[in-house]
Amino acid sequence: MFIFIMKKKTILLRISTLLLVFGYAASIFAAVDAYAEEDILTITQNAGYETSDYYKPKASIVIEAHTGQVLWEDNPDLAWNPASIAKLMSAYLVFEAIAQGKFTLDTTVKATDSDQAISQIYELSNNNIVSGVDYPVRDLLYAVMVQSSNVATVMLANLVTANDEAKFIHMMNDKAKELGMTKSTFYNCSGADTASFNGYYNPAGIDQNADNVSTARDLAILSYHLLKEYPETVTYTSPTQITIMENTPYAEVLENHNYSLPGLAYGYEGADGLKTGSSPTGGFNYAATAVRGETRLIEVILGVGDWEDQNGELQRHAFGNAIFDRAFSTYEYKQLLAKGEQTIDQEDVILTQDLYGVIQKETQPNFTLSANQVTFDNGLSQVSSTISAPSVEFQYAKKLKALQHSTFLKNANQKNGLSTFFVNGLLIILGLLFMALSKLFKKEPAAGSAKKFNPLLILGVLLALAGVGLSIYTLIVGPWL
């Protein structure tokens, strides 16, 4: 009976232990699921911002700026009107034209009567433009990126295409395809439909009433390429306030609507761009970038609140700051492997350069050798199939060292061969020289006396024969040195 009771207790103990283990595992999975399902509204509220479901963005995404890997996404492929964020594509084409040498930042654009008329349309975001005045490209870029000026955008677009308004729209769409923005279509250069320009801006053959269409993913791809290829972009997106046309009668102070810039209402550490946008059909939108240490992030927030409630202009920054915080606290971009010898998958390899990548903090990635590339899996996807995941080339250490040794021997043999032929030739030349000297210093023997031994002649003959013999040996056998 005692034994039966003990066995029963043992069985109950094991069952209890198993239940505890399963319960613990279930709680872990539940926590993971809760973390995964935590939406942007909850994240923002937990970060201390006062907001509500009314302002919840329709779509959002965060990517790492060096690698283009997605750190957060919520409905990233929703088709949406990006409003003035479209100006980023116009800026891209301006920077591209500068890089191609078509004009410079100091090139001036003479304002037309139409430009002045556009600048006075109250419903559009603008800066002051006076007909006949020359405006430097640099100042117009500040007006576009800081003030979100529609007229400055039109002036730059016309500069790029020599006043072919429709051509610029086609360039925007062609560039979108080239960059991998698969769900974007542009109908205007600034984010405001062309009908709102009162006829002063009217690209031929383009629907005047159509809104630009893009997605959070596509706008993140655009921002990625803009910062990667033209990092000077942040020069024009980071000022909270700037004066253009200084020291002229047309000087004007511009105010930035990106309230997440340090020093403004929702100032965020490291924020230095990119662009805000709002419209009746798009609500309040926000494309942002911020850098901390080696890590730079890009985010896009679309569809915050409603155009009728201007509080959405501030709320978009609360959501943006909150998911930036989440990403910065979770991930980091850093050097993962140093150039040179490494051991990966139990193989000794030599990396051609340092490997950098983004990983979750306090974790170590698993590296893989594939073809001639070192890659790693961090569980993150690329924002676009056109952007490759981080990798570096490598060579197997044994093969490389064998190749280097073989090359060394080959080079050594070549050097030895040249040295050998040089010595062989030198021996022959010395031999001939001694034979010539032997004749020069030859003394005629006295009458009736025997011929004297001539050491110079003998030495010369021996040296010449040695040189010839060694040359034949080198040609048949190889270098003797």
Side-chain angles (χ1 to χ4, degrees), residues 251-330:
E252 183 179 6
V253 178
L254 307 180
E255 303 284 345
N256 206 317
H257 300 289
N258 180 357
Y259 298 121
S260 286
L261 292 173
L264 297 185
Y266 281 75
Y268 189 81
E269 179 189 348
D272 53 7
L274 292 161
K275 190 75 189 69
T276 60
S278 58
S279 71
T281 57
F284 293 93
N285 308 317
Y286 181 38
T289 183
V291 60
R292 291 185 179 179
E294 295 292 318
T295 307
R296 176 177 282 281
L297 303 182
I298 295 168
E299 70 179 2
V300 178
I301 307 285
L302 297 179
V304 175
D306 185 272
W307 172 257
E308 300 298 326
D309 179 4
Q310 291 296 301
N311 194 40
E313 185 177 19
L314 296 176
Q315 287 287 308
R316 63 188 171 192
H317 297 284
F319 289 107
N321 289 0
I323 58 174
F324 258 166
D325 270 345
R326 171 59 61 88
F328 273 120
S329 64
T330 306

Side-chain angles (χ1 to χ4, degrees), residues 112-240:
T112 65
D113 292 342
S114 292
D115 296 332
Q116 179 173 314
I118 292 172
S119 74
Q120 295 173 357
I121 298 175
Y122 175 77
E123 293 80 8
L124 297 179
S125 175
N126 275 313
N127 69 297
N128 295 323
I129 293 293
V130 178
S131 180
V133 173
D134 291 324
Y135 291 85
V137 169
R138 178 183 288 102
D139 287 34
L140 291 175
L141 275 170
Y142 278 119
V144 170
M145 305 301 255
V146 174
Q147 188 71 19
S148 196
S149 170
N150 284 272
V151 64
T153 309
V154 170
M155 291 170 71
L156 287 173
N158 286 335
L159 174 64
V160 171
T161 61
N163 298 310
D164 189 336
E165 295 171 336
K167 180 179 178 180
F168 192 83
I169 305 303
H170 294 308
M171 288 176 65
M172 294 175 76
N173 287 306
D174 290 343
K175 184 58 64 174
K177 291 178 182 178
E178 179 185 324
L179 298 182
M181 300 169 64
T182 60
K183 297 183 179 180
S184 296
T185 305
F186 294 97
Y187 296 93
N188 59 75
C189 66
S190 69
D193 64 78
T194 56
S196 63
F197 285 82
N198 298 340
Y200 294 109
Y201 168 70
N202 186 15
I206 307 296
D207 187 345
Q208 288 194 24
N209 299 300
D211 287 327
N212 294 328
V213 178
S214 192
T215 67
R217 182 187 303 279
D218 279 4
L219 294 170
I221 293 169
L222 171 59
S223 300
Y224 165 87
H225 284 286
L226 187 58
L227 292 175
K228 185 179 181 65
E229 295 161 33
Y230 307 109
E232 64 270 25
T233 297
V234 296
T235 301
Y236 301 92
T237 61
S238 59
T240 57

Side-chain angles (χ1 to χ4, degrees), residues 330-372:
T330 306
Y331 299 97
E332 61 181 336
Y333 175 82
K334 66 177 185 179
Q335 180 181 325
L336 303 177
L337 290 173
K339 174 182 177 180
E341 294 192 23
Q342 298 285 345
T343 300
I344 300 173
D345 287 346
Q346 299 181 334
E347 291 279 0
D348 293 329
V349 297
I350 298 176
L351 275 58
T352 58
Q353 60 187 43
D354 297 335
L355 175 61
Y356 283 81
V358 58
I359 60 170
Q360 191 167 337
K361 290 183 176 181
E362 309 301 329
T363 66
Q364 291 296 326
N366 293 318
F367 300 100
T368 302
L369 303 179
S370 176
N372 66 334

